[in-house]
Amino acid sequence: MDSTILDSIAFAHPLHLALGDSAAGCVRAAGALNSPGIPQVVFNLRDDLSHGPLDDGVARAEYWRACYRAFSDWEYDLADTFAPWDELSRRLDRDRHDAVVVWAGENVSEATFLAMACHRLAGRPEQIVHLAVPGKDGRNYVAVHAPEELRAFFESRESWLRLDAAARTVLAEDFTRIRDKTGLLRRWQQGRVLGVPIDHYDDLLLQACSARWAPAARVIGKAMGLCDPANSLSDLFFNTRLQALIAAGKVQADGPQRSALDYAVRRASPPGAAEMPSDG
């Protein structure tokens, strides 16, 4: 892979590619700071690639709809999660961008995003530049940085990595591996994206869940906080795993699970165990 800092590479009309509302919002804000560096053309791929199927956009949309069940009354509204990638190609054709700048740090979701971008954009003429966002307080995510910091990364070019044809091919092929071999749950481990069993993080929920009744949303939030920095998981993911633990009898719920704000949970107790008061 050509990882040369791009001192000699220039582009006039790049499109910036970010994963998720938070990252895209930060990049847009960086471009609004009266900077001569970052244009405000930011395309947001609204997804979390750390979990869920990657081989079929319709199946992935159904997976996301399932994630929202028992979490909130909002329903995932895309019929095909890969449709925005098709829109991205149409945007590149229409607006004649000469480069795509992919903002991504070394974490499971954004590393998968970078590989997927190379796969989806294979054969296109635009330059692809990886803006390799460094870590901050141990967290290698775009959205942990203030807009001023992102502007500085862009302007210094020290984080720019040119993806030549060979590098693009390697990353595109790695996405094929991730798609076909890692299953429904992935981790950033030893410098690459690897698959783990879907129940890999269930112990975090059980650690967050005591013998006392506590709001389900609080337990989900505690489990999120126990994730290691390179492998943050969302509330939606932990919601699905909490439902699985309830179904398996490892966690008890005090009523119907319509929304994570509407019911409380506790670790299942042996028969005859004393009732514990609520945590509030």
Side-chain angles (χ1 to χ4, degrees):
M1 179 180 298
D2 183 350
S3 58
T4 304
I5 296 173
L6 301 184
D7 292 326
S8 61
I9 297 298
F11 37 72
H13 187 39
L15 180 144
H16 294 259
L17 195 59
L19 181 66
D21 291 342
S22 295
C26 289
V27 175
R28 287 194 183 100
L33 294 173
N34 298 317
S35 165
I38 308 179
Q40 296 180 50
V41 183
V42 181
F43 194 95
N44 178 11
L45 270 299
R46 302 180 67 184
D47 209 335
D48 173 1
L49 299 172
S50 60
H51 58 105
L54 295 171
D55 59 338
D56 184 299
V58 175
R60 186 166 178 80
E62 180 53 40
Y63 173 87
W64 277 114
R65 278 188 283 276
C67 287
Y68 277 98
R69 293 177 192 134
F71 181 76
S72 75
D73 58 5
W74 191 85
E75 184 172 338
Y76 187 78
D77 56 1
L78 274 181
D80 182 346
T81 59
F82 295 165
W85 288 100
D86 297 330
E87 171 58 27
L88 171 62
S89 291
R90 289 190 292 271
R91 175 81 64 88
L92 292 170
D93 289 337
R94 184 191 70 201
D95 296 342
R96 300 188 179 279
H97 293 280
D98 56 355
V100 177
V101 179
V102 183
W103 294 69
E106 288 191 341
N107 62 75
V108 59
S109 189
E110 292 175 1
T112 303
F113 173 55
L114 175 63
M116 190 173 186
C118 289
H119 181 269
R120 297 290 305 197
L121 299 175
R124 292 202 60 92
E126 298 86 7
Q127 297 181 66
I128 297 184
V129 175
H130 173 203
L131 204 149
V133 177
K136 180 180 182 181
D137 300 326
R139 296 177 59 80
N140 292 2
Y141 290 83
V142 173
V144 302
H145 293 281
E148 294 84 355
E149 295 171 313
L150 295 181
R151 181 186 65 182
F153 298 149
F154 186 90
E155 292 178 340
S156 73
R157 299 193 175 195
E158 292 181 0
S159 298
W160 292 21
L161 303 178
R162 179 180 55 215
L163 302 183
D164 61 13
R168 290 169 67 163
T169 297
V170 168
L171 283 164
E173 290 176 349
D174 196 46
F175 175 73
T176 300
R177 176 192 64 83
I178 294 167
R179 180 192 67 195
D180 297 342
K181 303 294 186 182
T182 61
L184 293 179
L185 182 59
R186 295 167 280 280
R187 279 181 59 82
W188 178 255
Q189 192 169 311
Q190 300 175 340
R192 65 199 304 246
V193 177
L194 300 175
V196 292
I198 194 65
D199 63 355
H200 183 83
Y201 294 99
D202 285 6
D203 282 348
L204 300 187
L205 274 170
L206 293 173
Q207 289 177 47
C209 193
S210 73
R212 299 173 181 267
W213 290 109
R218 182 186 300 174
V219 170
I220 289 170
K222 285 182 178 179
M224 292 171 64
L226 293 172
C227 289
D228 68 83
N231 292 288
S232 296
L233 273 298
S234 68
D235 48 6
L236 286 171
F237 173 78
F238 279 114
N239 171 65
T240 65
R241 295 312 306 162
L242 183 60
Q243 298 308 306
L245 290 172
I246 293 170
K250 296 181 179 181
V251 171
Q252 296 175 326
D254 69 347
Q257 296 95 62
R258 290 183 292 268
S259 162
L261 298 173
D262 292 342
Y263 70 100
V265 294
R266 66 180 181 184
R267 291 189 72 156
S269 326
E275 180 81 10
M276 298 292 289
S278 169
D279 283 344

